[in-house]
Amino acid sequence: MTRKRIKGLAYVCLIGIIILISRLAQIQLIDTEHFSKENINLLEASVRQRTKQVVIDNGRGKFYDKHGTPLTTEPRSVLILFPFLKEMDWNVEKVAEVIGYSPEQLLEQIKEAKDPVVFHDNGPVVLKDWQVEQINSLEIPGVFAVTKQFERPHQFASQLIGITGENAIELKNRYPDQNYSDQTVMGITGLEKSFDPFLIQDEQTKLVYHVDGRGGPLFGLDVKYIHPSNPFYPIKIITTLDFHIQKQLEIIADHYEMEKGGIVLLDIESNSIIANVSRPKIDEQAPYKNGGLINYMLKPQFPGSIFKTVIAAISIDYKRNSPSRTFDCSKTIHGEVDEVFDHGILTFRDSFAVSCNQTFATMAEEIAAIDPHLIESYAERFGLIDQVGWEGDVFHFQDFSQLADEERGQIFLSDTERTDPRLVRLVGIGQLNVKLTPLSVANMMASIARGGELYSVRAVSSIEYQNGTNFFSFPMDRGKRAVSPYTAEKLRQLLREVVVNPKGTARALQDLPYEVAGKTGTAETGKFVADREEQLVNKWFAGFFPFTDPKYALVVVQLDAKKETTSPISITKDIVNFLYAYDHN
């Protein structure tokens, strides 16, 4: 019996040893790069445990504005001190003299440090070129003056550019044929997501040294400078944004305490985004909170009277806008006495200026009687239904889209809506289920300003190698004609009338240094102020300027706004005044 027990115990021990050896083999030989359900890379973890490093550049491509100004990061020349300096005698007095600080201040910052530190004083201390040269000429181990990439403390156009993050599972799904590290940063939203295949990091630029179990230098004081061997990377994405304009428009939005909504500004000639403001802002601590990640300029919204521009275009083409024809603008769209707006009997031109609902509800009903698909057809011609961001083939990427987050607009949701006169009348004034993205509306205004030509919208003009040579240029896509030059000119005059007419809804814009043309809109959203019967609305202004030689197309929209919320007209005035000063500086 005793021998059987000993034999059994031996088998148990043998099985345990086999299991242990198998486990060690799994850890050290088999699953070294994909250990456990979390796919932990044990090799990388081991290296990280045995090294101390400071990343100078994470190797991911970066965004620049049209003039070459960095948008997401700022290169700064800084002093980096390694923690082993506190254990050695080094020329701290000379380093302190060069940077203009006391030796005590330098020693204090590495006193308790376990990792390399960037010398700071209410932020990183930025060095001049001569300081960098003098510090590095001292050749002190553990003391380096380098140009390090820092994230901008205040990100601009953050929803358009997007955010990055680490997600090992999604990384494998997105790039199944690549062997990227689990710590590789990838684009989650915006242009970061669209251009991720070009931006994804290759090698980091960093200062590294190996440590023993107590954190001391393992191979003496040998700090290695690791730099990618490929001089063409990381890639540079040259956007169409103007950093100074983007910054000022964000300041204006914040000045008027814009809670939800945004601003989109297009360059009419190139049909490119100069600025994209979306509110609420991204909360850096909780980016998914309160919709801060959403770029509302790319999301469909109720347009209200902005949509009357489309109805006007059809009315012109189908000759429903006779100068002698008048409309009773003292009535609502259903023929009842309008207790809010009593404009009396107006012509088509004046109806557009004061935004008479009765006129355009009537026009929409007449148009639908001609062809129930006509309204939708013209909306499509203006690019209001389809995505308007640049799409095309980029090398082996077919149907590459610059604006991956852009959504489509909508006009009708059913045949009933197309054929029921009462519902069609609501569509005619931009209500019911009509939803348009602010970007597509700005694009429509640019098309009208250009004489009826519809282009796709660019947010990026080119991709460049690190050395500045061109990798790929995104051509302007002239697309197709939305309306004839004649119709476009008639629409231009109508949009100008909104500003210059004594009763025009945008008459407050008539004394600006740039002559403005445009359309206002107020749309019911079906949402209400908490504990009140007041309905929230979308407040719009969409237009272009200067009128005689159009340069900019602009949309300002306040979403889910209360009655007392600042009018987009006030915001537009500040934008136009700024742009005039900016252009004539």
Side-chain angles (χ1 to χ4, degrees), residues 45-333:
S46 175
V47 171
R48 288 197 301 272
Q49 190 177 30
R50 291 182 286 106
T51 61
K52 295 290 184 182
Q53 65 183 29
V54 55
V55 176
I56 297 170
D57 189 327
N58 69 1
R60 184 172 176 82
K62 295 169 181 62
F63 293 90
Y64 297 80
D65 86 339
K66 61 194 291 187
H67 304 297
T69 302
L71 293 172
T72 51
T73 60
E74 291 179 298
R76 301 179 191 173
S77 296
V78 294
L79 175 65
I80 295 177
L81 304 172
F82 280 73
F84 58 70
L85 288 168
K86 58 192 171 188
E87 307 295 337
M88 58 179 282
D89 184 20
W90 57 289
N91 197 348
V92 62
E93 290 80 9
K94 181 60 178 176
V95 175
E97 179 187 339
V98 172
I99 67 173
Y101 283 81
S102 70
E104 291 74 23
Q105 288 173 298
L106 270 70
L107 294 172
E108 180 64 27
Q109 293 200 14
I110 60 173
K111 183 177 179 181
E112 304 295 335
K114 295 181 180 179
D115 296 300
V117 298
V118 175
F119 183 71
H120 59 277
D121 183 10
N122 293 323
V125 173
V126 180
L127 306 178
K128 296 181 173 59
D129 290 344
W130 66 268
Q131 292 173 309
V132 171
E133 184 178 347
Q134 286 196 23
I135 289 171
N136 289 335
S137 68
L138 297 174
E139 297 184 351
I140 301 173
V143 178
F144 298 89
V146 298
T147 300
K148 175 176 167 57
Q149 295 288 343
F150 290 86
E151 286 192 7
R152 281 189 176 275
H154 302 289
Q155 294 284 335
F156 297 102
S158 52
Q159 289 91 350
L160 177 66
I161 293 175
I163 65 168
T164 59
E166 294 180 8
N167 187 325
I169 296 176
E170 175 60 24
L171 186 69
K172 301 296 182 188
N173 291 336
R174 192 179 292 185
Y175 304 106
D177 299 328
Q178 301 295 327
N179 189 29
Y180 291 121
S181 162
D182 291 348
Q183 280 68 48
T184 300
V185 172
M186 60 187 294
I188 305 298
T189 63
L191 297 178
E192 291 277 14
K193 178 182 178 182
S194 301
F195 286 83
D196 195 56
F198 304 102
L199 294 166
I200 195 160
Q201 66 197 67
D202 185 12
E203 299 178 62
Q204 295 180 334
T205 300
K206 54 190 175 183
L207 294 168
V208 178
Y209 76 107
H210 292 78
V211 295
D212 58 24
R214 294 176 298 176
L218 187 60
F219 304 121
L221 305 178
D222 184 21
V223 176
K224 297 185 183 301
Y225 177 72
I226 299 176
H227 188 275
S229 56
N230 192 332
F232 296 105
Y233 292 87
I235 284 290
K236 301 164 74 173
I237 304 295
I238 310 302
T239 71
T240 60
L241 298 173
D242 185 307
F243 174 78
H244 297 290
I245 295 177
Q246 176 71 40
K247 180 179 179 180
Q248 187 60 35
L249 265 56
E250 297 212 21
I251 291 172
I252 291 172
D254 293 341
H255 172 74
Y256 285 101
E257 299 180 343
M258 182 181 284
E259 294 182 4
K260 184 178 180 182
I263 304 165
V264 59
L265 182 71
L266 300 184
D267 174 81
I268 290 176
E269 182 179 1
S270 64
N271 219 52
S272 301
I273 299 174
I274 301 174
N276 181 113
V277 180
S278 184
R279 291 294 182 267
K281 292 181 178 180
I282 295 178
D283 184 337
E284 294 183 5
Q285 304 304 316
Y288 291 92
K289 181 182 178 182
N290 297 328
L293 275 183
I294 299 173
N295 185 354
Y296 284 102
M297 300 303 94
L298 305 181
K299 304 299 179 186
Q301 315 295 339
F302 293 110
S305 295
I306 295 293
F307 193 66
K308 292 172 182 174
T309 308
V310 176
I311 303 302
I314 307 172
S315 301
I316 293 167
D317 281 352
Y318 283 80
K319 297 180 172 53
R320 318 298 295 183
N321 63 323
S322 170
S324 61
R325 186 179 182 184
T326 58
F327 303 84
D328 188 351
C329 291
S330 63
K331 294 183 177 179
T332 67
I333 63 170

Side-chain angles (χ1 to χ4, degrees), residues 507-531:
R507 57 188 177 277
L509 302 176
Q510 60 184 295
D511 295 326
L512 296 178
Y514 275 144
E515 292 183 330
V516 178
K519 185 75 187 75
T520 60
T522 302
E524 297 177 351
T525 64
K527 303 175 185 177
F528 291 83
V529 180
D531 303 324

Side-chain angles (χ1 to χ4, degrees), residues 6 13 40 53 75 122 164 231 252-253 261 273 288 311 327 352 376-377 407 409 411 451 485 494 575 579:
I6 293 173
C13 291
I40 298 171
Q53 65 183 29
N122 293 323
T164 59
I252 291 172
I273 299 174
Y288 291 92
I311 303 302
F327 303 84
F352 192 85
E376 214 161 23
S377 172
E407 296 181 6
I411 309 301
L494 287 174
I575 292 172
L579 289 172

